Amino acid sequence: MVAAAAPAEAQSLRLGGLTPLTTIDFPGRLAAVVYCQGCPWRCGYCHNPELLDATAPPALPWEHALAFLQSRRGLLDGVVFSGGEPTLQAALPAALAEVRALGLQTALHTGGMYPGRLAALLAQLDWVGLDIKALPQRYDAITATPGSGARAWDALEVLLAHGTDHECRTTWHAGLFGVDELLDLARTLAARGVRRWALQECRTPGAPAWALTDAHRQQLAALFPSFALRRA
């Protein structure tokens, strides 16, 4: 089954794939995940490097993804737009509107590189997962992109000001910064008003061994009403 033609804006959304069901990417919901092609940053530990090239031909036409979502109405609660970096694409607002018109909730996974675009999208989103990679001064080395730290932390301020339900998450590569700086990062996030933070272990081959002690974990957990440690 192929959906009726989506608006031209949504049809141009470039997708690298789709996960038909997840219970972990949109808290409290049964959701599908669509993976948007393209990202302007080049983090060395990227989890989805096949999605980085914004010029790659789409692996999945948007109308096919929309047809799948239509067929799952009543079974799914929502749809997660992940990547890559979804806010890179001008077609994202139209695609979100299409999903919401199906009666599905919407979530976004973003690195925050376009805070102005994020601000414009928040009225269409029920939940946001924002990656905060490090303190601002570390970003340029991590992303290979000058000025990236200011953009991501501006996106955090936009998200906190709007009040959209969200989670901040940090994938920690201990070779890029140590435990003391990780603790500084956590304290800074808490001071900015972040209430839900997830710390994720970097699983890239060659990444240093996990170095957090139980005492460190307790310090981190004490800073946030909701703290998750993800190592799998």
Side-chain angles (χ1 to χ4, degrees):
M1 173 183 175
V2 176
E9 296 89 345
Q11 283 188 21
S12 66
L13 191 73
R14 299 183 306 280
L15 296 181
L18 180 149
T19 294
L21 180 65
T22 177
T23 60
I24 60 174
D25 293 289
F26 193 167
R29 284 86 156 182
L30 298 177
V33 183
V34 291
Y35 296 94
C36 297
Q37 192 76 38
C39 182
W41 292 353
R42 292 297 180 267
C43 305
Y45 55 81
C46 180
H47 184 63
N48 294 320
E50 71 281 1
L51 296 173
L52 292 177
D53 184 1
T55 66
L60 177 68
W62 170 247
E63 56 265 33
H64 291 183
L66 190 61
F68 169 80
L69 297 174
Q70 287 177 328
S71 74
R72 295 300 187 271
R73 294 174 73 179
L75 301 174
L76 292 175
D77 301 312
V79 180
V80 181
F81 287 79
S82 190
E85 173 51 48
T87 62
L88 179 68
Q89 298 197 42
L92 181 60
L96 287 168
E98 286 286 303
V99 169
R100 295 180 76 84
L102 296 177
L104 296 167
Q105 293 186 312
T106 50
L108 173 71
H109 291 175
T110 179
M113 54 276 288
Y114 300 109
R117 296 181 191 179
L118 176 62
L121 291 170
L122 289 174
Q124 293 180 275
L125 294 168
D126 298 289
W127 185 85
V128 175
L130 175 63
D131 291 323
I132 295 292
K133 300 178 183 298
L135 290 167
Q137 63 269 23
R138 286 286 182 189
Y139 260 78
D140 288 6
I142 293 172
T143 67
T145 306
S148 53
R151 291 186 179 190
W153 284 76
D154 284 350
L156 174 61
E157 294 301 324
V158 165
L159 187 55
L160 291 170
H162 191 274
T164 302
D165 191 22
H166 66 276
E167 172 188 88
C168 291
R169 65 275 294 271
T170 300
T171 300
W172 180 44
H173 188 304
L176 298 175
F177 58 92
V179 173
D180 288 345
E181 193 166 325
L182 180 67
L183 292 169
D184 285 343
L185 170 62
R187 285 189 285 263
T188 303
L189 289 171
R192 294 286 183 95
V194 172
R195 298 180 59 80
R196 183 178 297 126
W197 186 50
L199 178 62
Q200 304 173 159
E201 182 179 14
C202 181
R203 308 293 289 180
T204 302
W210 190 251
L212 284 185
T213 65
D214 287 341
H216 292 139
R217 287 192 287 269
Q218 291 170 10
Q219 289 180 61
L220 294 172
L223 292 169
F224 303 94
S226 176
F227 172 72
L229 188 62
R230 298 174 184 154
R231 298 197 62 190

